[in-house]
Amino acid sequence: MLDIRNFSKTYRGGKRAVIGLTLAVEPGSIVGFIGHNGAGKTTTIRAIAGVLDFEEGDIFVGGHSIKREPIACKKMLAYVPDNPDLYEYLTGIQYLNFIADVFEIPSGDREERTREYAGLFSLTGNLGDSIGSYSHGMKQKLTLIGALMRDPKLLVLDEPFVGLDPVAAHVFKEQLHALCKRGGAVFFSTHVLDVAEKLCDKVAIIKDGALVAFGDTDKVRGDGSLEQLFLELIEQ
């Protein structure tokens, strides 16, 4: 579902943010992307989503190149950044209808999915309110609803659990598993290693822009915890 091939990104001034990253995410799997601040996680995720240009390597979503077929890729994936910028003067329902219009979700489907996901995230009663009145957690829920209602083949998330209360986090984890059962895949960055350890089929650890570990979660962590392994790798 996601195939990153020798991806590198150099910013102006010569800073190498990511160096020769290669990994694949299969349908039906949840992959956690772990690294310290500045390791290259957000750079990679923004390149996958098609919002950051790059010259070296390529990234494929469902077999389509994000460089050569960006529209085809974006039809298949949903991207949630770590700090979503929403249209604060819209109401919640206006935002969801806008998302549905952009991605051509039929009226019947959008209404059913809006009811379902707004109910699951306890946001139904707030959909008529302006987004500017929402708390950070409510904005995060609205953004996740907008992503889930598209039923994407690939869900790309940057620190998705920040700001979610325990109930919403539990609901969201269940929806990630449901998406994978439908043949989709999830790739997300996180600093919460306990979540990655329990939720992810595979984990990828990046350090100073380079991949230092990738594989099945149980095999990567070995006999210890994911936190122990991460600290050991970062300190090397």
Side-chain angles (χ1 to χ4, degrees), residues 65-98:
S65 166
I66 194 68
K67 283 184 173 181
R68 297 186 297 276
E69 304 169 276
I71 301 300
C73 291
K74 291 175 183 180
K75 286 182 177 180
M76 298 184 69
L77 69 83
Y79 162 56
V80 178
D82 59 343
N83 188 24
D85 289 322
L86 300 176
Y87 300 102
E88 304 234 330
Y89 293 102
L90 293 180
T91 63
I93 191 63
Q94 286 174 333
Y95 169 78
L96 294 178
N97 281 327
F98 168 70

Side-chain angles (χ1 to χ4, degrees), residues 44-67:
T44 301
I45 284 176
R46 293 183 68 215
I48 294 169
V51 297
L52 180 68
D53 291 334
F54 61 95
E55 292 73 41
E56 300 178 62
D58 207 343
I59 297 173
F60 298 86
V61 177
H64 300 282
S65 166
I66 194 68
K67 283 184 173 181

Side-chain angles (χ1 to χ4, degrees), residues 13-231:
K15 176 177 172 52
R16 297 276 280 177
V18 182
I19 307 165
L21 179 63
T22 296
L23 62 83
V25 178
E26 303 298 331
S29 64
I30 301 175
V31 177
F33 195 37
I34 302 166
H36 57 85
N37 291 336
K41 302 189 302 300
T42 295
T43 293
T44 301
I45 284 176
R46 293 183 68 215
I48 294 169
V51 297
L52 180 68
D53 291 334
F54 61 95
E55 292 73 41
E56 300 178 62
D58 207 343
I59 297 173
F60 298 86
V61 177
H64 300 282
S65 166
I66 194 68
K67 283 184 173 181
R68 297 186 297 276
E69 304 169 276
I71 301 300
C73 291
K74 291 175 183 180
K75 286 182 177 180
M76 298 184 69
L77 69 83
Y79 162 56
V80 178
D82 59 343
N83 188 24
D85 289 322
L86 300 176
Y87 300 102
E88 304 234 330
Y89 293 102
L90 293 180
T91 63
I93 191 63
Q94 286 174 333
Y95 169 78
L96 294 178
N97 281 327
F98 168 70
I99 294 296
D101 286 342
V102 170
F103 292 97
E104 301 176 334
I105 301 173
S107 58
D109 290 340
R110 75 173 65 182
E111 291 171 6
E112 179 182 347
R113 294 173 191 177
T114 297
R115 282 195 300 269
E116 177 186 359
Y117 291 120
L120 286 172
F121 285 98
S122 302
L123 206 63
T124 303
N126 303 103
L127 290 182
D129 301 333
S130 68
I131 296 172
S133 70
Y134 282 17
S135 67
H136 175 72
M138 292 168 67
K139 290 177 181 177
Q140 185 74 354
K141 290 179 184 181
L142 185 68
T143 308
L144 294 176
I145 291 169
L148 290 170
M149 69 185 294
R150 292 176 46 204
D151 194 22
K153 293 297 184 183
L154 175 66
L155 192 53
V156 181
L157 311 158
D158 197 354
E159 298 289 349
F161 295 97
V162 175
L164 291 183
D165 59 71
V167 173
H170 175 73
V171 168
F172 186 49
K173 291 172 190 175
E174 289 184 328
Q175 292 307 308
L176 296 184
H177 286 302
L179 185 147
C180 288
K181 286 181 180 178
R182 297 194 297 270
V186 179
F187 184 75
F188 76 99
S189 74
T190 182
H191 283 114
V192 187
L193 298 185
D194 286 346
V195 169
E197 194 164 12
K198 294 174 183 176
L199 182 62
C200 298
D201 306 298
K202 293 184 177 182
V203 292
I205 301 176
I206 188 172
K207 175 186 177 183
D208 297 329
L211 190 68
V212 293
F214 177 57
D216 294 344
T217 304
D218 290 340
K219 292 181 179 178
V220 169
R221 72 182 178 186
D223 296 329
S225 68
L226 193 57
E227 182 179 35
Q228 289 173 324
L229 173 65
F230 176 74
L231 293 174

